Amino acid sequence: MGEPALPVLLVVHDEGSAAPMRILAAARGLCRVVLLCEPDRPRVAEGLRSVGRHAEIADVTGLDTEAVGRLAAGFDPAGVVTFSERRLRLTASVAEACGLPFHTGETVDVLTDKFRQRRALAEHGVQDTRCAVVPRTGGADDVDGLDAALARVGLPAVLKPRTGAGSVDTCLVRSADECRSRLAEFAQDRDDPGEFVLEEYLPGDPDQAGPGWGDYVSVESVVVDGEPRTVAVTGKLPLAPPFRETGHLLPAPLAPGAAADAVRLERRALRALGVRHGVTHTEIKLTPAGPRVIEVNGRLGGHMAELVQRSLGYDLVAAALRLALGLPVDSPETPPGHGRGTGPGGVAFHFKVVPPPGAPPPDRASLVERLMEVPGVDLVDLADLTEIPGPSGWRAGTAGAVGVVYGSAPDHAELRKVLDRLRELLDAAWRTPEPEAPRSPFAHPRTDVRWPLITPHP
């Protein structure tokens, strides 16, 4: 007799937190993966090229939700999962059509709709953060609606799309005119601008994590039958303007009590939103009044699987697959939030390369070589640097980074030195000579266009 057939796991695939190669590696010997996707979409096609014929693909291009459900059911799947924010709703529909566990449609609504999520957290007594829906354009015909939103939320406030991820088109507004201008700018460049929300700005407490670190963390959890199992409390590097992530570190530079407070808040939020199944990524702001929820995401966070595996030896992608298949899921051996010291292998980090606007593109090969010479750096992954985003490049949010530096340090103090050196090298790479002009004894020979890091977060 031959080996028993592996169970089929449907992965509703798109841009997200796990590439096809990573998913197939975690699935080896566990299940047969079928990727439900639109394979001709550029970003999707790019990831599929790395796995070639090893990927089994079900093309859903042009199919409506019901047709996708019928296609999915034909595989007689044992589970379904997604690592993509934009595919949460479709995955919930597939799960319902196939009778499989996943977030319910109602839970997906509050996970992907920032206004509904704020309202649900307030209704369940978790956190009342002022939030209002604002008109699409902010034009003259919408003044009453915008004025009402500003009166409800106050200034300064955070303006962001009602749905979306990665801090795309997310900014701080300090006046009604600035808010109206940003709304008009965003709507002009979007085929479907959708709705935006205006949220209460949460001030950070830099003393919680300490100088040099971001004033927010994320909590990574595996939720089994409605019970969150905390995998890690992930520290952050300071943000680039306006709200762009520049990196992560594990363990977070928090005292054990502060990490425990963040975990308690995260668990209350997950239960309030009805999350009963899956891997979650919850961002928590560290404020003078204690931890506050930034947002809850119903899928694996970007870069989190690799960081957690390097730091804790725990495979979050494999955990997501096992959970989707209804198999037992272990918890990590190392307790999350293990203080200001180090994890079992020191402090693992990701440092995102975020160029300042309009910087000249440096030579990629020589920059990689210089960055790799920094002690503690294990890998430098840089994209094509022939074009650096212009002044409005911040609108791409997290996707505006042009690369990632991976590495580790013995402890947080040593990590500061590594990061300082990386920033020095990048600052030098971004500098550009001034345009030629008549010589003057008062002229500066060079212009430093470094982009300073900040700590606020929406």
Side-chain angles (χ1 to χ4, degrees):
M1 295 180 64
E3 293 292 328
L6 293 174
V8 172
L9 176 67
L10 302 178
V11 177
V12 185
H13 178 62
D14 208 315
E15 295 177 67
S17 53
M21 182 68 79
R22 181 72 179 83
I23 297 168
L24 293 177
R28 187 172 299 147
L30 182 68
C31 59
R32 167 190 160 202
V33 170
V34 176
L35 301 174
L36 299 181
C37 63
E38 298 175 338
D40 292 332
R41 291 187 63 242
R43 292 291 183 91
V44 174
E46 182 180 349
L48 293 177
R49 279 196 293 270
S50 65
V51 294
R53 298 179 181 178
H54 298 289
E56 188 170 351
I57 298 169
D59 190 346
V60 300
T61 304
L63 300 184
D64 61 23
T65 301
E66 290 185 2
V68 173
R70 290 193 297 270
L71 175 65
F75 288 97
D76 191 22
V80 63
V81 70
T82 189
F83 298 94
S84 170
E85 177 76 14
R86 71 188 301 267
R87 291 305 188 185
L88 285 172
R89 191 173 303 282
L90 180 59
T91 308
S93 297
V94 169
E96 183 177 6
C98 298
L100 297 171
F102 191 69
H103 304 309
T104 65
E106 183 179 356
T107 297
V108 168
D109 285 344
V110 295
L111 287 170
T112 58
D113 184 323
K114 301 181 193 307
F115 177 71
R116 292 193 63 181
Q117 184 172 133
R118 290 299 191 196
R119 188 167 59 184
L121 292 176
E123 289 173 350
H124 286 82
V126 177
Q127 177 179 309
D128 188 0
T129 305
R130 297 189 302 277
C131 182
V133 177
V134 294
R136 294 187 179 195
T137 65
D141 57 334
D142 287 328
V143 169
D144 290 343
L146 179 57
D147 286 345
L150 289 166
R152 161 78 176 121
V153 175
L155 291 168
V158 178
L159 179 68
K160 59 173 68 171
R162 184 168 177 172
T163 61
S167 297
V168 173
D169 283 349
T170 300
C171 63
L172 190 70
V173 292
R174 299 172 178 82
S175 69
D177 287 343
E178 184 179 13
C179 185
R180 189 170 291 109
S181 175
R182 289 299 187 196
L183 282 168
E185 176 186 357
F186 297 159
Q188 180 180 0
D189 297 337
R190 287 173 167 238
D191 293 334
D192 178 12
E195 290 185 315
F196 282 72
V197 294
L198 199 64
E199 289 187 355
E200 173 186 353
Y201 171 68
L202 302 175
D205 180 2
D207 293 335
Q208 289 284 324
W213 310 118
D215 58 4
Y216 69 111
V217 297
S218 64
V219 182
E220 327 309 329
S221 290
V222 175
V223 185
V224 183
D225 294 329
E227 290 300 318
R229 300 178 185 178
T230 308
V231 173
V233 177
T234 307
K236 308 293 178 179
L237 301 185
L239 293 160
F243 295 115
R244 299 201 289 171
E245 288 191 333
T246 64
H248 321 280
L249 62 147
L250 194 63
L254 292 182
D261 288 344
V263 169
R264 278 192 290 270
L265 176 61
E266 177 250 11
R267 292 186 175 185
R268 292 178 62 206
L270 291 177
R271 293 186 178 113
L273 300 180
V275 178
R276 298 194 53 79
H277 177 90
V279 174
T280 59
H281 170 71
T282 303
E283 294 181 343
I284 304 286
K285 186 68 175 281
L286 307 172
T287 80
R292 302 283 299 277
V293 175
I294 298 170
E295 64 182 20
V296 179
N297 299 281
R299 39 77 188 170
L300 175 66
H303 293 286
M304 291 301 105
E306 196 275 341
L307 186 68
V308 166
Q309 188 152 27
R310 289 173 56 220
S311 179
L312 303 177
Y314 186 80
D315 191 339
L316 266 170
V317 175
L321 302 189
R322 292 183 65 87
L323 185 60
L325 293 166
L327 299 175
V329 179
D330 296 330
S331 298
E333 296 180 2
T334 303
H338 35 88
R340 295 182 184 271
T342 65
V347 184
F349 73 89
H350 294 162
F351 177 88
K352 296 186 178 183
V353 181
V354 181
D363 180 76
R364 180 181 179 276
S366 61
L367 179 57
V368 169
E369 183 177 353
R370 291 195 298 272
L371 295 174
M372 281 296 300
E373 291 174 352
V374 177
V377 170
D378 299 323
L379 174 68
V380 177
D381 182 10
L382 277 187
D384 181 6
L385 299 178
T386 54
E387 291 187 11
I388 299 296
S392 62
W394 62 268
R395 289 185 53 188
T398 301
V402 296
V404 182
V405 179
Y406 303 85
S408 62
D411 53 38
H412 290 100
E414 288 300 313
L415 178 55
R416 289 180 193 274
K417 298 176 184 178
V418 175
L419 297 174
D420 285 346
R421 180 56 181 154
L422 292 175
R423 290 176 182 129
E424 288 174 3
L425 291 171
L426 288 168
D427 284 344
W430 304 140
R431 291 183 188 132
T432 179
E434 287 186 337
E436 290 190 14
R439 292 181 176 271
S440 164
F442 304 104
H444 296 287
R446 301 184 71 84
T447 299
D448 187 351
V449 293
R450 79 171 61 182
W451 193 327
L453 298 176
I454 60 172
T455 55
H457 196 283

